[in-house]
Amino acid sequence: MVVQMLSAIKFSKKIIPYVKEEKTKVVVAIFFSFVLAGLKGMQAYIVKPIFDHGLSPTSTIEDNVTLVLQLLIIVLVNFPARFFHFYWIRFVVDKATCKIRNQMYKKLQHIPLSFFSESKQGELVSNLLNDTITFSHGFRAVIDLIREPITALVMLSLAFSRDWQLTLVIFAAAPLFIIIFNRSGFLVRNQQQVVQEKIAQMTHVVGEGVVGQKISKSFNLQEYVLDRFKKAQEHFFDAQMKTAKTEEIAHPLVEFVGGLAFSGIILFAHYRIKSGGMTTGDFVSFITAMALFMDPIRKYSQANVKLNQARAAGERIFNLLDEPEEADFGKVEIENLNSEIIINDLAFSYDQNRNVLDKVNLSIKSGDKVAFVGLSGSGKSTLINLLLGLYDISKKKIMIDGNDINDIKKSSLRNLFSLVSQDIFLFNDSIKENLSVGRNLSEDEIKNSLEVAHADEFVNRLADGVETNIGDGGLKLSGGQRQRLTIARAFLKQSPILLLDEATSALDNESEKMVQKALDKLSANKTVIAVAHRLSTIQEFDCIYVFDEGEIVESGTHDELLSLKGNYFKLYELSKKVGTNA
């Protein structure tokens, strides 16, 4: 029991920050633990006078009325004590769960992008939803580990007062209880780690099955996807059954040991009554106390299991919360690009094994329109990510208006750019909410952004207009319509630099024309940095940088690069053959 109490204290230190605002409710809930324990003791205590006096032939009506009143008082006090004790525990537990989830979700918004490339989406979702529920149950278990020993102690004290010799039988069984609690707690904690991992894997597989509906149907992969889910669920089931086996062995073991002790008590009590050492009322009161003693022992066993499950979940939660956040040591704030962006001998690697970018040197003056072209994997999009400060780089490698990019506040840096990417992200919400993203924008601002993006024509045809819900990722819209909404969103940001990361690569010719018109409107009077695969869209740009295996191998205008008959010329000729230059 000492081990369990130390575990409870250690666990409490972790959860205290999440419940300290509700400390009054916690204190009152703990106070009612003592009240409830006392009431149970009174219930057992009153059994003796009921049998010795209330039910004896010599008892009077006054004796019975007194006993009835005592019972009524116990019942009346029990009602509010029990309600407030358990309701406030649930209130505090659920409130703490919300706080933990908020903190975890906030952490996810500030963790470096590299963390997500190494983590499974489903595991993070499970960590946020399932682990927090299991963890919060630990607080309830802590309260149980306070209340149930108090109740057991009250019952034991009452039993001791009725017959101390009979009570010694319980003490003889105590070492067995301790062994069961310690062993089952250790096993459950280790097994629960595996359970949480398996449910995280299953959540990830479910996410893949939902997000990948289009591919699974078009490739007739329904059986394959279902098989993946079944396997994940079987692994989760197996892990769950190992924990269940430990739990379900521990509980009856406790009851079995208690039953053995109870059997010894009955045999010994028979001798005590025969020898005149105790009355029938003493015996019934003692037996009642022992019966009520077994209930807190059983609940204590369950609480011990829950606490160890919570500790396992807590390890996963705090591993996430201990993840380092994006480094942001910048103090400089920039509102505009007044001069130029200079990239000086930049090298970058994701895994320290191979440079994705190497010896990159370029300059982009305010108002310029520049493009990055090259084969897939040549480092173009990586450079866009570095300009956005999504990965850390060495000092003095990227300078913006004479400021090292590392010295600029992340929020200020990202306010310089409006990104339109091939990876379209829209919330499952209305068109208006996707454009305003939490800001209070006027109807005229929304309308103007839709006109600039050439999105007003299809939005106006929708029954609910800008209030139309567009579904998960905007799936109720076509690819071109979704991209035009992201252009409208970028316009509303009013940033001085426009980043285009292959914004039209996944569109058909008709959609591309509409999106390109919108991009031309959006890019007016802005500095434009475009990763392009359709070379026809960048022929009028001020400078085109050609990437090959992470290095810039050519740079110049469209005509200058064609005259070199080098990499750009080959890309241009290839684009004409496959029809992407039209």
Side-chain angles (χ1 to χ4, degrees):
M1 188 173 289
V2 173
V3 174
Q4 282 71 41
M5 292 309 296
L6 290 174
S7 296
I9 292 169
K10 187 176 179 181
F11 180 84
S12 298
K13 289 179 180 178
K14 287 189 174 182
I15 204 168
I16 280 173
Y18 304 101
V19 301
K20 63 182 180 181
E21 289 183 12
E22 307 296 336
K23 60 184 177 183
T24 302
K25 291 184 176 66
V26 173
V27 170
V28 174
I30 292 173
F31 167 75
F32 279 129
S33 295
F34 290 89
V35 174
L36 291 172
L39 290 172
K40 279 197 173 182
M42 290 175 68
Q43 289 171 0
Y45 181 85
I46 205 172
V47 170
K48 174 178 168 58
I50 288 174
F51 276 86
D52 285 350
H53 303 295
L55 299 179
S56 73
T58 59
S59 66
T60 64
I61 188 66
E62 288 79 6
D63 293 333
N64 282 280
V65 168
T66 301
L67 291 170
V68 167
L69 288 174
Q70 289 175 352
L71 280 172
L72 285 175
I73 290 170
I74 292 171
V75 171
L76 288 172
V77 175
N78 183 73
F79 179 84
R82 186 175 178 80
F83 171 79
F84 286 112
H85 174 74
F86 287 101
Y87 175 75
W88 279 345
I89 287 175
R90 291 186 64 176
F91 180 92
V92 171
V93 165
D94 292 343
K95 194 77 176 286
T97 305
C98 292
K99 288 180 181 178
I100 294 167
R101 284 195 186 127
N102 286 341
Q103 188 177 354
M104 292 175 70
Y105 200 74
K106 182 181 179 181
K107 170 64 76 169
L108 289 175
Q109 307 312 308
H110 293 89
I111 290 177
L113 198 62
S114 56
F115 171 84
F116 295 95
S117 63
E118 299 169 3
S119 304
K120 291 181 179 179
Q121 177 185 339
E123 289 184 359
L124 293 175
V125 172
S126 178
N127 203 197
L128 187 67
L129 299 179
N130 300 319
D131 289 351
T132 49
I133 292 174
T134 304
F135 180 73
S136 66
H137 287 167
F139 177 72
R140 191 173 299 178
V142 170
I143 299 295
D144 288 347
L145 290 174
I146 295 172
R147 182 185 64 243
E148 301 309 330
I150 295 169
T151 305
L153 188 61
V154 169
M155 295 305 161
L156 206 58
S157 299
L158 178 61
F160 199 86
S161 70
R162 292 293 183 235
D163 195 298
W164 65 270
Q165 295 179 50
L166 281 179
T167 310
L168 291 178
V169 178
I170 293 298
F171 286 104
L176 293 175
F177 287 130
I178 292 169
I179 291 170
I180 294 169
F181 292 151
N182 288 345
R183 184 61 183 163
S184 62
F186 173 77
L187 290 174
V188 165
R189 185 165 67 254
N190 290 337
Q191 291 162 354
Q192 189 64 25
Q193 280 276 23
V194 180
V195 170
Q196 297 301 123
E197 289 170 8
K198 296 305 179 185
I199 196 172
Q201 290 171 12
M202 187 172 70
T203 305
H204 179 72
V205 172
V206 170
E208 287 180 333
V210 172
V211 173
Q213 277 294 301
K214 185 176 179 181
I215 298 299
S216 64
K217 284 181 170 62
S218 62
F219 281 84
N220 287 321
L221 296 176
Q222 290 92 334
E223 289 302 317
Y224 171 73
V225 171
L226 178 60
D227 188 53
R228 281 172 58 84
F229 174 73
K230 284 181 177 178
K231 286 179 180 176
Q233 185 167 236
E234 283 172 11
H235 292 320
F236 169 62
F237 176 79
D238 291 342
Q240 206 173 26
M241 286 303 99
K242 284 183 180 178
T243 303
K245 187 185 291 183
T246 302
E247 290 181 38
E248 299 311 324
I249 287 175
H251 299 331
L253 261 179
V254 168
E255 292 176 358
F256 176 73
V257 173
L260 289 178
F262 204 67
S263 301
I265 287 169
I266 291 174
L267 290 173
F268 192 35
H270 174 73
Y271 165 75
R272 295 283 293 152
I273 294 172
K274 280 282 188 182
S275 63
M278 66 188 309
T279 66
T280 302
D282 284 328
F283 176 71
V284 175
S285 179
F286 180 89
I287 291 297
T288 302
M290 285 296 96
L292 292 175
F293 172 79
M294 288 308 302
D295 185 55
I297 292 296
R298 179 180 57 81
K299 288 180 179 177
Y300 185 89
S301 174
Q302 293 172 344
N304 179 50
V305 168
K306 294 295 182 187
L307 179 63
N308 282 285
Q309 289 176 339
R311 287 178 63 189
E315 286 179 21
R316 288 165 53 83
I317 289 170
F318 289 104
N319 283 341
L320 174 62
L321 292 176
D322 289 339
E323 282 289 331
E325 297 188 359
E326 273 188 322
D328 188 4
F329 305 111
K331 291 185 169 59
V332 178
E333 295 194 28
I334 298 180
E335 294 183 0
N336 208 339
L337 178 64
N338 297 312
S339 179
E340 62 183 338
I341 298 173
I342 297 175
I343 298 177
N344 179 38
D345 202 27
L346 173 65
F348 178 77
S349 171
Y350 288 108
D351 56 12
Q352 307 301 318
N353 292 324
R354 184 183 69 87
N355 281 349
V356 180
L357 293 172
D358 196 24
K359 299 175 184 176
V360 174
N361 293 278
L362 60 85
S363 65
I364 304 167
K365 295 189 181 301
S366 177
D368 278 358
K369 290 177 172 53
V370 303
F372 303 152
V373 301
L375 297 175
S376 295
S378 59
K380 309 180 298 295
S381 294
T382 295
L383 185 52
I384 295 292
N385 290 337
L386 296 183
L387 287 170
L388 287 167
L390 297 176
Y391 295 90
D392 294 332
I393 58 171
S394 302
K395 287 275 189 181
K396 304 293 183 183
K397 295 301 180 182
I398 300 180
M399 308 292 291
I400 301 177
D401 281 352
N403 298 291
D404 187 334
I405 195 171
N406 294 299
D407 295 333
I408 303 172
K409 281 186 178 180
K410 284 283 196 291
S411 57
S412 179
L413 172 67
R414 290 166 187 170
N415 279 336
L416 287 175
F417 301 98
S418 288
L419 175 66
V420 180
S421 171
Q422 61 182 327
D423 300 318
I424 301 171
F425 176 78
L426 294 167
F427 294 97
N428 187 346
D429 212 316
S430 67
I431 291 172
K432 181 179 180 180
E433 188 60 32
N434 271 283
L435 297 182
S436 59
V437 283
R439 293 171 296 173
N440 188 19
L441 300 178
S442 67
E443 288 186 15
D444 287 341
E445 287 175 305
I446 297 288
K447 182 180 178 182
N448 187 33
S449 71
L450 292 172
E451 289 173 355
V452 169
H454 289 281
D456 56 325
E457 56 188 58
F458 79 82
V459 172
N460 291 337
R461 291 199 301 268
L462 298 171
D464 296 322
V466 295
E467 299 298 336
T468 301
N469 186 290
I470 60 176
D472 276 343
L475 285 177
K476 293 181 181 179
L477 306 175
S478 69
Q481 290 171 338
R482 292 198 296 271
Q483 192 63 289
R484 277 181 272 172
L485 286 185
T486 67
I487 292 169
R489 184 169 63 192
F491 172 79
L492 287 166
K493 193 179 177 189
Q494 293 295 323
S495 299
I497 306 171
L498 179 62
L499 293 179
L500 306 176
D501 190 2
E502 300 199 64
T504 63
S505 63
L507 303 178
D508 57 64
N509 287 335
E510 193 60 37
S511 296
E512 185 200 0
K513 288 176 184 176
M514 292 299 297
V515 169
Q516 194 58 52
K517 277 185 184 179
L519 290 173
D520 290 341
K521 263 191 180 183
L522 178 61
S523 61
N525 303 316
K526 290 182 183 292
T527 303
V528 178
I529 303 172
V531 173
H533 76 292
R534 296 186 190 267
L535 303 185
S536 60
T537 63
I538 59 169
Q539 291 180 13
E540 302 302 320
F541 274 37
D542 299 298
C543 188
I544 300 168
Y545 292 94
V546 184
F547 283 73
D548 183 39
E549 294 187 353
E551 297 185 25
I552 296 175
V553 293
E554 295 171 2
S555 64
T557 64
H558 172 72
D559 292 333
E560 289 171 347
L561 292 172
L562 285 180
S563 67
L564 294 176
K565 302 288 185 179
N567 289 52
Y568 184 79
F569 179 81
K570 292 176 184 177
L571 289 171
Y572 185 74
E573 289 299 311
L574 180 63
S575 69
K576 287 198 296 185
K577 288 180 183 178
V578 298
T580 60
N581 193 39

